[in-house]
Amino acid sequence: GENVEQHPSTLSVQEGDSAVIKCTYSDSASNYFPWYKQELGKGPQLIIDIRSNVGEKKDQRIAVTLNKTAKHFSLHITETQPEDSAVYFCAATLGRGYGGSQGNLIFGKGTKLSVKP
Amino acid sequence: DGGITQSPKYLFRKEGQNVTLSCEQNLNHDAMYWYRQDPGQGLRLIYYSQIVNDFQKGDIAEGYSVSREKKESFPLTVTSAQKNPTAFYLCASSKRRDRGNEQFFGPGTRLTVL
């Protein structure tokens, strides 16, 4: 079945540096790729997403890139701040080949980002 | 103030008891979901519902049950048949499920079996 691999599982950076988290997916029919930020004890919050007809999307300090050929997508955070510290999850939709499950999200296992002041 | 609410925030259950977790949304979303989250794991889908009076099993439905009698509400019952119920449970909703599945999550319920 569809699988989403996320790396690294933990990432520690110095404040002001950039952070990059990478995900790969297996279903070539996946067409939507969201990224979520989860703070301790809270529900995930959508921070950025990208659709399969777009290669890159930016929103202030965060950006996402998508390589459909290689089936991978990445989250880039520039000028990191201590409040960026959280667990980040990537996800990909199930495509047409999954029948009634089409459109459901499959999540990566998360990356714990620590930004040191 | 639109959003998704889950209650209670913390829930303790004795072995052999059924418990029901509440999820309500006022976003007018058609689709709703229940996920389970374990430490160091991603989110795993338990059940989902596209419309009122309809729901489908996700990847780990055994030991759980749901109902969708109202568009706004999607309660999850954790039954005594669930062998390892201690986890963080997340409810989500989306406008539609079939195209660009932007899901919004509630704050979660932490269930602990004593």
Side-chain angles (χ1 to χ4, degrees), chain A residues 31-32 34 36 38-46 49 51 87 89 93-94 99-110, chain B residues 9 33 35 37 40-45 48 50 56-59 88 90 97-108 110:
Chain A
N31 60 6
Y32 174 68
Y36 288 88
Q38 186 178 28
E39 297 178 344
L40 193 62
K42 297 185 178 180
Q45 281 191 304
L46 180 69
D49 55 15
R51 301 181 190 278
V87 178
F89 291 96
T93 49
L94 292 176
S101 296
Q102 179 188 351
N104 283 352
L105 290 175
I106 301 297
F107 287 82
K109 293 190 175 180
Chain B
K9 187 172 177 66
Y33 314 80
Y35 292 92
Q37 185 175 30
Q41 300 293 315
L43 282 64
R44 292 184 292 167
L45 184 63
Y48 61 98
Q50 290 180 266
Q56 305 296 329
K57 292 181 179 180
D59 300 319
F88 191 48
L90 289 159
R97 193 178 65 84
D98 58 335
R99 196 186 308 165
N101 197 3
E102 190 172 316
Q103 292 187 20
F104 297 90
F105 284 84
R110 186 165 298 280

Side-chain angles (χ1 to χ4, degrees), chain B:
Chain B
D1 189 20
I4 303 174
T5 57
Q6 290 185 243
S7 61
K9 187 172 177 66
Y10 299 97
L11 186 57
F12 297 90
R13 188 194 94 173
K14 292 182 180 178
E15 284 193 24
Q17 286 182 336
N18 292 354
V19 289
T20 297
L21 283 58
S22 170
C23 177
E24 303 277 332
Q25 54 98 1
N26 61 4
L27 300 167
N28 198 32
H29 284 172
D30 289 319
M32 296 187 74
Y33 314 80
W34 274 105
Y35 292 92
R36 171 182 170 136
Q37 185 175 30
D38 295 285
Q41 300 293 315
L43 282 64
R44 292 184 292 167
L45 184 63
I46 304 173
Y47 268 98
Y48 61 98
S49 168
Q50 290 180 266
I51 56 173
V52 175
N53 293 323
D54 181 67
F55 48 83
Q56 305 296 329
K57 292 181 179 180
D59 300 319
I60 55 166
E62 186 176 350
Y64 300 98
S65 66
V66 293
S67 62
R68 187 86 186 276
E69 297 177 1
K70 298 187 299 182
K71 187 175 185 178
E72 302 80 18
S73 179
F74 191 40
L76 173 75
T77 296
V78 184
T79 75
S80 56
Q82 169 50 233
K83 299 303 179 191
N84 185 20
T86 295
F88 191 48
Y89 290 87
L90 289 159
C91 178
S93 70
S94 66
K95 208 169 196 178
R96 301 179 54 154
R97 193 178 65 84
D98 58 335
R99 196 186 308 165
N101 197 3
E102 190 172 316
Q103 292 187 20
F104 297 90
F105 284 84
T109 292
R110 186 165 298 280
L111 173 64
T112 303
V113 173
L114 302 173

Side-chain angles (χ1 to χ4, degrees), chain A residues 8 10-14 112-116:
Chain A
T10 60
L11 179 59
S12 182
V13 300
Q14 208 64 36
K112 184 176 182 180
L113 174 64
S114 300
V115 180
K116 298 180 179 179

